[in-house]
Amino acid sequence: MITVEKLTKTFDTDSGPVHALNAVDLTVPAGQVCAVIGQSGAGKSTLARCIALLERPTSGAITVDGLNLTGLRGANLRAARRQIGVVPQGDSLLRQRTAAANVELPLEAAGQSKLERRQRAADLLDLVGLADKQRAYPDQLSGGQRQRVAIARALAAQPSVLLADEPTSALDPETTNSVLHLLDQVSSDLGVTVLIVTHDMEVVRKACDSVAVLENGYVVEHGDVLDLVAQPNSRIGAALLPTGESALGRADRLGSAPIAHDRVADLVVVGFHAVGTLLGEASSRHDARIDLLGGGLARISGTPVARFRIGVQAARPDAVLDWLADNGATVCPTSSEVAA
Amino acid sequence: MSYDWDTLIGELQTTTGETLYMVLASTVVAVLLGTPLGILLHVTAPNGLNPRPVTHQVVGAVVDVVRSLPFVVLLIALTEVTHAIVGTSIGSTASIVPLAIGAVPFFGRLVQNVLREVNASVVEAAITTGATRAKIVRSVLLRESAPGLVAAVGVTAVALLGYSAVAGLLGGGGLGDLAIRKGYQGYDNTALYMSVAVLGVIALILQFVFDFAARAIDKRRSAAI
Ligand SMILES: Nc1ncnc2c1ncn2[C@@H]1O[C@H](COP(=O)(O)OP(=O)(O)OP(=O)(O)O)[C@@H](O)[C@H]1O
Ligand SMILES: [Mg+2]
């Protein structure tokens, strides 16, 4: 579990102070994957570096599994660092060491014997799917393989928290998927709390339970991905969902015989059951005709999520929308479309 | 009247031995003292592992002052010191003292530059493992820059070869001594050119050996290009 409270970081530069983080609050429950997303310069890396104990906060508190990280020094600082696995932004492998020797570095720092280290490094490279690359040097590996070695190294000393700064930014979509899958596995199988810094919405969709949006050093949104998706006014939720509009819907409305819907609404539904059966049940219960005007289905952190634009024809159209809302759908009437 | 080659070859052999002895011994001292000096300069720098602005400035200034002195000046200025250390100020062994003292700051700056080449995120990755500073210096900074350090030893050895010839000016022995005494002052062009040629060959061999070693231990792909 990571807790960040009122975290502020100001850099003093020649051209005046730079407020990289402003009273940032963030909580990542144990075993979950959280994304920190935002534009370049928003403060994402600074936040990750503060938690990684590479940067001293100007003020505020950071707690990892109950341990207060602020103000640590010497041996206590080094011990705390061992609790936190870090995959830094960019290439961070030792280029004169083999993959296995890179993974061993944290174990050397922890004072383990050569035998233990070798065994653990072999196990970890196996975990990240690089059992056959133990003796390869970083320059003999692909970008995705290097990133996997970096993740294996970050996990070597069995940290309870893993921080990854832009772990997929230099990778193609397929390699990105495999790295995300690995991070997902790390949190679900090993119970590690994972914080991923990214500017890629796809990373949030595929691998994250929660997300925090940074803008100019402020957290402007923070919450569970599936909660945010269901909130009509969440910008990140909207960005994660398929759009309500679709070519199909427009063509339908421009057709020769437009159907006079009593109501048109945008609907967000979350979960297997809801996506599969909700609309059918609504239509049979209320003897209503429900047309799909647009939208689509997405899978967000493993859960099917849909945004549909629907047109309703019924004796009591509002009752249909109310019933949908009562049964877990988020309903936004699109007033301009009423009786198109 | 034919030239006395036998005598010259004998002298070349002796003085080559003296030169190699001076270069080798002073390089060893330069590496032993210059490495910690270079590490100190790097680690105390503003973005180093242990920033110490005052130490950094003071040590850097001393290093640069010694480095800016012409070697001849150092040679003369250190006569007393040399005498105190080795009991004489004449001969190959005596030359080692000024050679080493001149080379320590030279090698120290080279070490600092080589260490600076190590990628900052590599060092940060090591910091996040909870490694001590000493461990990071040993296992990351020195290990990652090993090829550059070996090349720097080569550069230092070749520079010392040149300075060892200068030491010959003041009776320091070696090939420089032979070139000046027998060649220049004795009007023996054969001796002059032969000793210069041997110096050149030694320089080439030193450069080749250290460059080869540096490349041989480098695991980076770009090293092959
Ligand atoms: N060491 C530093 N000294 C001065 N300013 C800094 C320092 N590190 C970061 N900053 C400033 O803090 C702000 C946030 O930087 P940060 O690296 O956290 O951004 P980021 O969100 O990670 O961006 P990117 O997506 O490009 O990596 C920027 O304005 C940056 O210039
Ligand atoms: Mg960044």
Side-chain angles (χ1 to χ4, degrees):
Chain A
M1 165 129 163
I2 307 170
T3 318
V4 173
E5 285 168 295
K6 298 251 173 304
L7 182 67
T8 297
K9 176 71 192 182
T10 305
F11 291 105
D12 288 317
T13 68
D14 295 339
S15 49
V18 175
H19 302 285
L21 296 173
N22 301 295
V24 165
D25 288 318
L26 180 77
T27 307
V28 188
Q32 287 212 353
V33 183
C34 177
V36 173
I37 197 161
Q39 288 181 347
S40 187
K44 307 183 295 296
S45 294
T46 307
L47 174 58
R49 291 167 57 81
C50 284
I51 302 172
L53 292 164
L54 285 170
E55 212 82 72
R56 271 190 199 279
T58 308
S59 66
I62 303 170
T63 318
V64 166
D65 289 334
L67 176 69
N68 186 348
L69 299 186
T70 30
L72 292 175
R73 291 194 180 275
N76 290 336
L77 177 62
R78 291 195 297 276
R81 279 173 172 154
R82 237 166 271 149
Q83 278 299 302
I84 301 167
V86 182
V87 183
Q89 186 166 15
D91 269 331
S92 66
L93 294 182
L94 282 79
R95 295 173 78 187
Q96 306 290 353
R97 279 191 177 214
T98 61
N102 263 284
V103 176
E104 284 185 35
L105 184 68
L107 306 174
E108 290 169 18
Q112 291 193 5
S113 74
K114 181 79 201 157
L115 205 68
E116 289 173 291
R117 296 199 312 254
R118 227 179 252 167
Q119 186 56 50
R120 177 97 183 118
D123 291 348
L124 277 158
L125 285 173
D126 196 28
L127 175 81
V128 301
L130 292 174
D132 56 334
K133 296 290 184 190
Q134 286 197 37
R135 307 190 62 81
Y137 287 91
D139 283 27
Q140 300 168 327
L141 298 172
S142 73
Q145 289 170 336
R146 282 203 292 274
Q147 204 56 270
R148 285 162 174 278
V149 175
I151 294 171
R153 179 177 64 185
L155 291 172
Q158 294 178 304
S160 57
V161 163
L162 181 73
L163 308 174
D165 196 345
E166 303 277 11
T168 63
S169 63
L171 308 178
D172 62 61
E174 204 163 312
T175 317
T176 294
N177 281 346
S178 73
V179 167
L180 291 180
H181 181 73
L182 173 62
L183 290 173
D184 188 48
Q185 203 183 331
V186 164
S187 85
S188 53
D189 297 358
L190 307 179
V192 174
T193 310
V194 181
L195 188 82
I196 307 178
V197 168
T198 184
H199 56 256
D200 182 2
M201 208 56 95
E202 207 48 34
V203 172
V204 184
R205 237 179 244 130
K206 289 200 172 118
C208 300
D209 302 300
S210 63
V211 60
V213 185
L214 274 182
E215 236 175 64
N216 298 321
Y218 291 93
V219 174
V220 293
E221 276 195 57
H222 174 35
D224 281 0
V225 175
L226 293 177
D227 289 347
L228 292 172
V229 156
Q231 280 172 22
N233 54 1
S234 162
R235 268 161 55 201
I236 183 92
L240 286 167
L241 282 167
T243 66
E245 293 285 347
S246 83
L248 176 93
R250 269 195 301 277
D252 231 25
R253 274 174 282 142
L254 295 172
S256 50
I259 301 158
H261 291 121
D262 299 310
R263 292 287 182 278
V264 174
D266 276 348
L267 207 66
V268 174
V269 283
V270 175
F272 282 99
H273 180 74
V275 169
T277 64
L278 207 59
L279 291 183
E281 213 179 319
S283 115
S284 61
R285 268 174 189 267
H286 296 271
D287 194 21
R289 171 185 172 144
I290 300 178
D291 290 320
L292 219 51
L293 302 179
L297 192 69
R299 189 172 274 270
I300 296 178
S301 53
T303 305
V305 173
R307 168 148 65 188
F308 295 129
R309 175 156 298 178
I310 55 167
V312 182
Q313 262 188 329
R316 292 171 54 226
D318 288 327
V320 179
L321 296 182
D322 287 348
W323 185 87
L324 284 167
D326 286 346
N327 283 273
T330 307
V331 181
C332 287
T334 52
S335 48
S336 61
E337 302 274 351
V338 171
Chain B
M1 183 183 127
S2 70
Y3 188 78
D4 187 357
W5 278 100
D6 286 348
T7 309
L8 178 62
I9 288 171
E11 284 168 332
L12 280 172
Q13 278 172 347
T14 322
T15 53
T16 299
E18 286 169 2
T19 291
L20 289 178
Y21 163 62
M22 285 188 284
V23 171
L24 191 77
S26 52
T27 303
V28 167
V29 177
V31 169
L32 287 181
L33 301 181
T35 307
L37 180 64
I39 293 171
L40 181 73
L41 283 168
H42 179 74
V43 168
T44 55
N47 284 318
L49 284 172
N50 191 9
R52 288 275 184 274
V54 176
T55 311
H56 185 73
Q57 293 292 336
V58 170
V59 176
V62 172
V63 162
D64 289 336
V65 166
V66 177
R67 241 155 51 88
S68 70
L69 294 177
F71 181 63
V72 185
V73 174
L74 201 62
L75 197 63
I76 297 164
L78 286 173
T79 314
E80 292 296 310
V81 179
T82 304
H83 202 94
I85 295 176
V86 294
T88 169
S89 52
I90 301 272
S92 312
T93 305
S95 299
I96 291 170
V97 175
L99 282 173
I101 289 176
V104 167
F106 178 80
F107 187 68
R109 278 290 187 209
L110 288 182
V111 169
Q112 184 193 10
N113 283 336
V114 171
L115 297 184
R116 203 153 39 199
E117 294 300 309
V118 178
N119 192 335
S121 32
V122 174
V123 178
E124 287 195 337
I127 293 175
T128 64
T129 66
T132 58
R133 281 196 283 261
K135 165 78 182 162
I136 293 170
V137 168
R138 247 185 303 121
S139 300
V140 182
L141 289 177
L142 292 178
R143 184 67 197 83
E144 280 297 287
S145 50
L149 291 173
V150 169
V153 177
V155 170
T156 306
V158 172
L160 281 169
L161 182 67
Y163 291 138
S164 79
V166 177
L169 273 177
L170 286 139
L175 287 159
D177 206 355
L178 181 64
I180 289 159
R181 263 176 228 290
K182 180 166 175 157
Y184 181 70
Q185 292 167 355
Y187 301 104
D188 183 343
N189 279 342
T190 311
L192 178 62
Y193 294 138
M194 283 305 287
S195 23
V196 171
V198 174
L199 275 172
V201 169
I202 296 174
L204 288 176
I205 292 174
L206 281 174
Q207 195 68 55
F208 174 80
V209 166
F210 281 99
D211 281 354
F212 180 82
R215 244 175 293 130
I217 61 168
D218 199 344
K219 308 300 182 187
R220 289 170 299 182
R221 193 164 36 188
S222 55
I225 301 166

